[in-house]
């Protein structure tokens, strides 16, 4: 592995925290995060409580974005994050308005890069 690759992987690990297979917050707190590293979304399967926000960070060496596979009545993606370059972050617009369910997404410049967002209803707190 090159030094640059090692640095990118280390930065991704730091941004993901525990490195679990899916990002799940404990209650209402800071926004969830999804990252791009080596042409992959990490995590690829995101668990997001209904009404919560999501931040996208690009740690890859080229520009990437996030675009929902599904569109609304006007043909606009249900959610999306703008095209960003290395080291930049952007909010994933409109995820807070998604209904319960599973939504596929991809990177527009690299459509083989795919992920899944599952919006769920967390159990009531104590």
């Amino acid at each position: 592995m090159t030094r640059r690759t090692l640095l990118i992987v280390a930065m991704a690990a730091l941004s993901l925290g525990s490195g679990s297979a899916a990002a799940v917050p404990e209650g209402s707190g800071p926004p969830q995060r999804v990252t791009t590293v080596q042409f992959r979304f990490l995590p690829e399967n995101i668990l997001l409580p209904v009404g919560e926000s999501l931040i996208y960070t690009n740690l890859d060496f080229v520009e990437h974005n996030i675009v929902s596979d599904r569109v609304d009545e006007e043909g606009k993606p249900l959610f999306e994050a703008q095209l960003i370059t290395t080291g930049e972050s952007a909010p994933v617009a409109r995820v807070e308005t998604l209904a319960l369910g599973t939504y596929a997404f991809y990177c527009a410049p690299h459509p083989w890069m795919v992920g899944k967002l599952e919006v769920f209803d967390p159990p009531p707190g104590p």
Side-chain angles (χ1 to χ4, degrees), residues 41 43-46 69 103-107 113-117:
F41 291 111
E44 289 179 359
N45 299 308
I46 303 163
D69 270 0
Y103 303 86
F105 62 88
Y106 64 97
C107 172
M113 291 176 53
V114 295
K116 182 174 68 172
L117 173 65

Side-chain angles (χ1 to χ4, degrees), residues 8-94:
I8 290 171
V9 170
M11 290 173 61
L14 288 173
S15 73
L16 292 174
S18 69
S20 62
V24 181
E26 294 180 12
S28 185
Q32 293 286 45
R33 297 193 172 273
V34 59
T35 304
T36 298
V37 177
Q38 294 185 337
F39 290 87
R40 288 187 58 210
F41 291 111
L42 298 176
E44 289 179 359
N45 299 308
I46 303 163
L47 297 175
L48 188 70
V50 68
E52 294 287 332
S53 60
L54 182 63
I55 302 293
Y56 171 55
T57 301
N58 182 4
L59 297 179
D60 218 336
F61 56 91
V62 299
E63 291 183 326
H64 294 293
N65 67 353
I66 289 178
V67 181
S68 169
D69 270 0
R70 293 169 44 188
V71 296
D72 63 16
E73 317 72 53
E74 299 171 5
K76 186 176 185 179
L78 293 182
F79 60 91
E80 62 188 330
Q82 67 189 31
L83 191 64
I84 57 175
T85 192
T86 305
E88 291 183 327
S89 294
V92 180
R94 298 179 302 284

